Amino acid sequence: MTNTAHSPGPLSHLSVLVSGASVAGPAVAFWLARHGARVTVVEKAPALREGGFAVDFRGRAHRTVLERMGIWDEVSRHQTHMGRQTVVDADDQEKVDLPAFMMSGDVEIFRGDLSKIMYERTKDHVEYVFGDSVTHLQEDFDGVDVTFDRGAPRRFGLVVGADGLHSHTRRLVFGDESRYLRHLGYYAAGFAMPNVLGLHRSSRICSVPGRMVDISNYDGSPERGGAFLLFRSEQFAYDRDDVAEQKALLAETFADLPWKHTRHVLDALEDTDELYFDAIAQIHVDRLSQGRVVLLGDAGYGATMGGMGTGTALVCAYVLAGELAAARGNHAKAFAAYEAEVRDYTKGCQKISGNAGPFLAPPTEKKIRSRNRAYRMLSFRFLAGFFKRLTERAANAIELKEYPIGMEHPIDKEARGYAGPRPSVASRSRQA
């Protein structure tokens, strides 16, 4: 599909390539197109990815961006409505319920549904190229020549790397991932499984020292469920493309976990065709741009889990496109302003993500008991409200500017009548 004509805007002279079509990519594509730019999004997957983990939004800043995009109502209509999440011991004795706001924010939606909402909103005004990826970038004084794995070479004014924690764009321009990735001491895995416990929008979480097994149902289906595993470990080498190796590692790690439902999880692990496996880690770069290439979302300041990555990505996509519009496409000025606006904000969100592993799988029995005691206190309304405000502090730690926009863009007219995607029937997993 090719771009349709855009209304005049401050970026009407600018062509931008965005690498990645998960969340950050379509979000920045929306705003760039809204400011008049000609935008192409390239995604290595053969089609828009469905299903996936649940992601949440919390606090004023997240909601403000969703409302300015015109998708808050659609996101709300597709939220998971996740309820009780119960921590049990190895004997399946219930110890504490985790409040929904802590795990699911103000509104929670499956990543695939969110991606589809944004894709549907942008597809008529943004060029999407699936099944391809960038292999080489060559910048000169007025643009970037881009070589693709499959498609013909093309030239763009700017390139946005929005291709995730293990960003290929970042590696091409900024250097090897090992320079920027910080391991946080845990690994996580997720996959679909049958709803063997008959759960309904709820989960059971068994924590033993250094390990956790979570069985959940997020979509209300009596048949479908999800498993989420987490374990404490030093960083080790593994093949990210070898699913059999990852399955064997997980099976060995959890084989002796004494919770009676672990066997169901390991049986589902053996049968699954789609496995998510990664270290809990963060990306820390010295700067977010180099020349005409800029990093957005997990590619620039990602955290595997717990750092509000999706909300952060949407907020920062708004800022990046807005600063480009304010600078009328002067990328050097805009990228410096973007970094100044989001640097402290992203660091604050990353800071809280370092607690995800120790919270879900504390390293000792004593720390598990301490965690459980602390979260029992959240049954008191005053303390629950205080903790909710605390969890929103990092998400809200940015003042969002109003950026210049030209004449009304067709994307705005469509927003007023768009009803959103149908709920996906794909298998679901969860993300803390």
Side-chain angles (χ1 to χ4, degrees):
M1 178 180 298
T2 57
N3 297 25
T4 59
H6 294 293
S7 301
L11 300 181
S12 58
H13 62 289
L14 186 65
S15 64
V16 184
L17 174 68
V18 178
S19 178
S22 178
V23 172
V28 77
F30 170 90
W31 288 112
L32 289 169
R34 180 67 182 83
H35 292 299
R38 302 180 306 279
V39 186
T40 298
V41 178
V42 62
E43 166 59 50
K44 66 180 179 180
L48 200 67
R49 291 171 175 167
E50 297 186 354
F53 289 121
V55 298
D56 65 73
F57 301 98
R58 59 187 71 213
R60 167 192 47 78
H62 292 180
R63 177 164 182 161
T64 296
V65 171
L66 291 169
E67 288 178 339
R68 289 181 184 179
M69 293 180 76
I71 63 173
W72 170 259
D73 289 342
E74 285 72 39
V75 169
S76 298
R77 279 195 288 270
H78 289 83
Q79 66 180 299
T80 64
H81 295 290
M82 188 63 174
R84 188 183 189 200
Q85 302 185 60
T86 303
V87 175
V88 301
D89 63 17
D91 296 323
D92 205 36
Q93 298 299 306
E94 296 182 0
K95 296 300 181 181
V96 62
D97 284 345
L98 302 177
F101 75 80
M102 194 183 80
M103 302 295 281
S104 304
D106 296 330
V107 61
E108 183 180 59
I109 184 173
F110 292 113
R111 182 181 295 274
D113 287 344
L114 178 63
S115 294
K116 190 171 184 181
I117 288 171
M118 292 193 294
Y119 171 74
E120 293 292 339
R121 283 289 313 281
T122 56
K123 66 178 183 178
D124 293 332
H125 312 285
V126 170
E127 177 187 14
Y128 280 85
V129 179
F130 290 98
D132 209 348
S133 60
V134 176
T135 59
H136 184 70
L137 298 169
Q138 183 64 51
E139 180 180 336
D140 57 35
F141 71 97
D142 66 351
V144 185
D145 291 316
V146 182
T147 304
F148 296 93
D149 181 47
R150 297 180 61 187
R154 295 174 62 178
R155 185 171 177 81
F156 298 89
L158 301 175
V159 175
V160 179
D163 45 348
L165 198 75
H166 302 290
S167 169
H168 183 61
T169 308
R170 186 185 62 235
R171 184 179 65 80
L172 288 174
V173 178
F174 293 77
D176 190 76
E177 177 180 292
S178 60
R179 298 169 56 184
Y180 309 112
L181 189 141
R182 297 183 187 176
H183 181 65
L184 298 183
Y186 286 81
Y187 285 83
F191 49 93
M193 66 175 290
N195 189 2
V196 293
L197 302 187
L199 300 172
H200 181 78
R201 303 186 191 276
S202 61
S203 70
R204 292 180 80 80
I205 304 167
C206 179
S207 295
V208 300
R211 291 180 292 174
M212 182 214 72
V213 178
D214 177 352
I215 299 176
S216 62
N217 169 268
Y218 268 62
D219 63 1
S221 165
E223 292 85 24
R224 292 189 302 272
F228 188 73
L229 307 178
L230 187 143
F231 64 95
R232 189 167 180 253
S233 173
E234 297 295 325
Q235 189 172 10
F236 57 83
Y238 70 97
D239 185 345
R240 294 185 59 240
D241 296 321
D242 190 339
V243 176
E245 175 191 3
Q246 296 162 25
K247 285 185 177 183
L249 171 66
L250 290 166
E252 180 180 359
T253 301
F254 288 90
D256 65 344
L257 195 145
W259 188 38
K260 64 182 181 180
H261 299 302
T262 304
R263 185 69 260 162
H264 298 305
V265 173
L266 295 182
D267 288 343
L269 171 66
E270 184 177 352
D271 294 339
T272 189
D273 294 325
E274 295 185 6
L275 171 67
Y276 166 86
F277 180 83
D278 207 344
I280 296 184
Q282 294 178 349
I283 292 295
H284 293 267
V285 295
D286 297 329
R287 60 191 185 281
L288 293 174
S289 65
Q290 184 164 305
R292 292 176 173 271
V293 180
V294 63
L295 301 177
L296 173 67
D298 286 352
Y301 29 82
T304 308
M305 57 189 297
M308 298 175 289
T310 303
T312 303
L314 262 64
V315 168
C316 294
Y318 170 80
V319 174
L320 174 58
E323 293 297 342
L324 278 166
R328 304 197 69 82
N330 181 329
H331 67 279
K333 180 179 179 181
F335 290 169
Y338 159 65
E339 182 144 3
E341 287 291 315
V342 307
R343 174 63 74 177
D344 290 343
Y345 177 64
T346 58
K347 284 186 177 296
C349 293
Q350 281 189 319
K351 185 176 181 180
I352 66 170
S353 73
N355 299 321
F359 165 72
L360 292 170
T364 66
E365 288 283 4
K366 181 178 179 180
K367 290 188 175 182
I368 290 175
R369 291 193 296 271
S370 296
R371 177 203 62 184
N372 292 348
R373 284 195 299 270
Y375 285 99
R376 284 192 196 100
M377 296 174 66
L378 295 180
S379 60
F380 297 102
R381 182 176 299 178
F382 168 77
L383 291 175
F386 171 78
F387 189 83
K388 184 177 187 295
R389 291 191 295 273
L390 193 65
T391 62
E392 293 175 355
R393 181 179 298 172
N396 285 330
I398 188 170
E399 291 297 325
L400 296 174
K401 297 179 180 179
E402 292 277 0
Y403 292 105
I405 296 177
M407 295 172 59
E408 184 177 63
H409 192 282
I411 209 169
D412 299 313
K413 299 176 182 178
E414 292 167 6
R416 292 193 286 270
Y418 176 56
R422 292 183 177 182
S424 172
V425 297
S427 298
R428 308 301 195 182
S429 298
R430 69 170 298 277
Q431 181 177 28

